[in-house]
Amino acid sequence: MREQHKLHGRVIEIWIFPTETSDAACAKFERLLAPDEKVRAERFRFDRLRKSFIATRGALRCLLGRYLSLPPASLEFHYGSKGKPTLAPAMGIDFNATHSGDLAAFAFTLGSQLGIDLEHVHPLAEMQDIAGRFFCPEEAAELASLSPDDREAAFFRCWTRKEAYIKAIGDGLSAPLDAFRVTLHPNELARFVHIAHDTNVAQAWTLHDLRLSPGYAAALAYHDRERPLSLFQLADPAELFDRP
């Protein structure tokens, strides 16, 4: 069994890595998965997506196993009503995962709800229409007021900040994105303006922009005052089999 990699105090540890790995490493990760995870993997029509899912779930198991000094294959997950995974039984670690394009990222901490979201930034012809449908009116108006050069980055800043919060509370797609407001202007720090029009509730949450990789937007949300962050970057998820 590998040496435990402990979480300390209020630190949030973030791990990022490309989801592409060798067939041999993918086979190793697949052996760690539970039967239901293997069934989910087989539902992907494209081999690239299937391998990405296997590597991401296998890496999550490896990291949780290191934190808990437990064999990765022995871990069991419970899924909330909206699909958010937690450990069963609960073992004190809060975690969340995200992937987009060819990257995946995980966040781990002790004693705080948290959510992380990562999005590949790309042109969207219908960007303003999407903002009008899903953002709150003030966010959509602020987005429209920006110069065309700033608008795309601002859209994905807003989107990842909102998704990180939705993932933290575990409500998934059922939670309306226009029920709370975040900052999106390039000259403003990431923060909640209000949650359900309550500024006091908003002040109990923290938002971070994460600069994880060029061409990607990412955000972290958690229910606490600001915590220190530590970032770990892997060139290949297969490194987890070799790290002490």
Side-chain angles (χ1 to χ4, degrees):
M1 188 178 299
R2 298 191 185 280
E3 180 182 351
Q4 186 179 32
H5 180 102
K6 292 183 179 180
L7 284 167
H8 295 281
R10 301 173 63 251
V11 172
I12 298 174
E13 294 196 347
I14 298 165
W15 293 76
I16 180 172
F17 55 88
T19 56
E20 186 173 347
T21 190
S22 68
D23 289 343
C26 188
K28 282 186 177 182
F29 282 126
E30 189 168 19
R31 287 195 286 271
L32 303 177
L33 303 188
D36 66 301
E37 292 170 319
K38 293 178 181 179
V39 169
R40 287 179 63 186
E42 290 304 318
R43 290 178 183 158
F44 288 96
R45 294 178 56 193
F46 299 105
D47 190 57
R48 179 181 63 83
L49 297 178
R50 183 185 65 83
K51 289 176 65 178
S52 174
F53 173 82
I54 290 170
T56 302
R57 289 309 289 247
L60 175 62
R61 285 180 167 274
C62 285
L63 287 167
L64 285 169
R66 286 156 52 88
Y67 285 123
L68 297 166
S69 273
L70 291 172
S74 72
L75 300 173
E76 295 185 16
F77 293 106
H78 167 76
Y79 297 92
S81 60
K82 308 302 180 184
K84 183 178 181 180
T86 55
L87 286 171
M91 297 184 185
I93 291 183
D94 294 278
F95 64 93
N96 199 233
T98 183
H99 66 273
S100 179
D102 298 321
L103 287 180
F106 302 138
F108 303 89
T109 197
L110 301 174
S112 178
Q113 287 176 282
L114 82 169
I116 186 170
D117 191 59
L118 171 75
E119 299 289 343
H120 181 239
V121 176
H122 59 282
L124 281 173
E126 67 277 23
M127 180 192 305
Q128 201 64 50
D129 290 339
I130 294 172
R133 289 175 58 200
F134 296 105
F135 293 177
C136 64
E138 297 88 349
E139 291 164 339
E142 187 172 11
L143 182 69
S145 74
L146 296 175
S147 70
D149 290 342
D150 290 332
R151 205 169 292 154
E152 185 177 276
F155 174 88
F156 283 98
R157 272 196 298 273
C158 189
W159 188 269
T160 54
R161 292 171 188 182
K162 284 178 167 290
E163 284 293 318
Y165 171 71
I166 293 298
K167 294 177 69 177
I169 62 175
D171 277 355
L173 295 175
S174 67
L177 292 176
D178 62 356
F180 60 98
R181 183 182 174 189
V182 300
T183 55
L184 60 84
H185 195 279
N187 296 328
E188 280 192 277
L189 294 176
R191 66 180 179 87
F192 291 96
V193 178
H194 69 73
I195 295 175
H197 301 285
D198 190 326
T199 57
N200 291 325
V201 173
Q203 289 173 7
W205 285 81
T206 299
L207 268 176
H208 291 276
D209 270 332
L210 302 175
R211 290 172 173 80
L212 300 181
S213 183
Y216 286 83
L220 176 74
Y222 53 90
H223 190 220
D224 196 5
R225 58 189 170 86
E226 188 169 342
R227 291 184 171 212
L229 308 182
S230 293
L231 177 64
F232 302 88
Q233 193 155 6
L234 303 176
D236 187 318
E239 291 179 30
L240 291 171
F241 294 120
D242 304 318
R243 292 176 74 99

